[in-house]
Amino acid sequence: MTSRLPKLVAFDLDYTLWDLWIDTHVDPPLRRMGDAVNDVRDRHDQRIAFYRDVPEILHRLREGSVTIAACSRTSAPDLARRALSLLLVPPPAGHKGEAPTPAISFFDEKEIYPGSKIKHFKELHRKTGLPYSEMLFFDDEHRNREVESLGVTFCLVPSGVDDRLFERGLAEWRKRHPVEVAEDAAGNDDVGNTESA
């Protein structure tokens, strides 16, 4: 049986993908020691790393041909982009011989600048042409639930994205779109992205 994925999954950065505020806890310059995987350091040796399950989630979305977006209202957008450029994501499970991938290459869209998440999602809609109903957003701040007024499915992240929370977000999105999921379960190929359950 297959389960359809949203066409776009967006993530906030701070306390959603990594456990810090990039604009207050990190002091440039940033550096990576050689090919260290999922480990970037700042001037004071503060570690920047994705939460444990994030790399596999990114690989899973990429394999499902889902558009991945970063949506952050940080006041340090250049530093956030630099961290994403330096962070190396390990290869997916079962592909140990492959080289790690710069995290930034997983993100098809990057809306990283101060302001309302409504603005971020309007830009995503404009750039991708995807309907809001095909978007799922993970964020640690309850106030950003405002994107639901556009039709985006919002999933609150109380303590970092992990597999269980990711699945909960997908389940909520599927619950809101039962017709599309039912069509997909019946084998309709033109419904959207699929993945093996």
Side-chain angles (χ1 to χ4, degrees):
M1 180 177 197
T2 59
S3 296
R4 193 166 85 84
L5 294 170
K7 292 185 178 172
L8 183 145
V9 174
F11 299 95
D12 177 43
L13 297 174
D14 299 340
Y15 289 102
T16 300
L17 294 185
W18 52 49
D19 67 342
L20 49 75
W21 284 306
I22 198 82
D23 55 1
T24 59
H25 296 152
V26 175
D27 247 347
L30 302 182
R31 69 190 187 292
R32 180 183 66 232
M33 302 303 287
D35 288 334
V37 173
N38 198 27
D39 189 348
V40 170
R41 304 293 173 131
D42 79 348
R43 170 181 309 194
H44 304 291
D45 214 32
Q46 167 71 42
R47 183 173 189 240
I48 304 165
F50 285 143
Y51 290 109
R52 184 177 50 95
D53 295 342
V54 169
E56 282 300 320
I57 290 168
L58 293 174
H59 283 296
R60 180 176 168 192
L61 291 171
R62 179 62 62 229
E63 289 169 14
S65 300
V66 173
T67 299
I68 304 171
C71 291
S72 174
R73 63 172 63 203
T74 183
S75 60
D78 292 339
L79 196 57
R81 288 174 186 272
R82 180 72 177 143
L84 288 172
S85 295
L86 288 172
L87 271 173
L88 292 178
V89 174
H95 294 85
K96 295 233 185 253
E98 293 180 14
T101 306
I104 201 159
S105 68
F106 282 89
F107 294 91
D108 304 294
E109 301 294 336
K110 294 166 276 299
E111 298 299 318
I112 304 174
Y113 46 83
S116 167
K117 297 289 173 96
I118 295 278
K119 180 178 179 184
H120 291 148
F121 277 87
K122 284 184 175 181
E123 279 300 301
L124 287 174
H125 175 66
R126 185 185 67 75
K127 289 176 179 178
T128 66
L130 295 172
Y132 296 115
S133 62
E134 285 292 334
M135 298 180 186
L136 171 59
F137 181 41
F138 293 89
D139 193 302
D140 67 308
E141 292 187 62
H142 193 273
R143 67 180 170 160
N144 294 322
R145 184 177 297 275
E146 68 184 359
V147 299
E148 291 205 331
S149 68
L150 299 172
V152 174
T153 301
F154 177 85
C155 183
L156 185 64
V157 179
S159 53
V161 170
D162 61 19
D163 287 331
R164 178 178 283 183
L165 184 81
F166 182 68
E167 288 299 328
R168 190 174 85 210
L170 288 176
E172 179 61 28
W173 180 82
R174 290 175 182 137
K175 182 173 131 186
R176 294 180 185 195
H177 305 285
V179 173
E180 295 93 342
V181 174
E183 288 173 2
D184 180 54
N188 189 341
D189 291 335
D190 63 348
V191 174
N193 299 327
T194 62
E195 75 158 12
S196 297

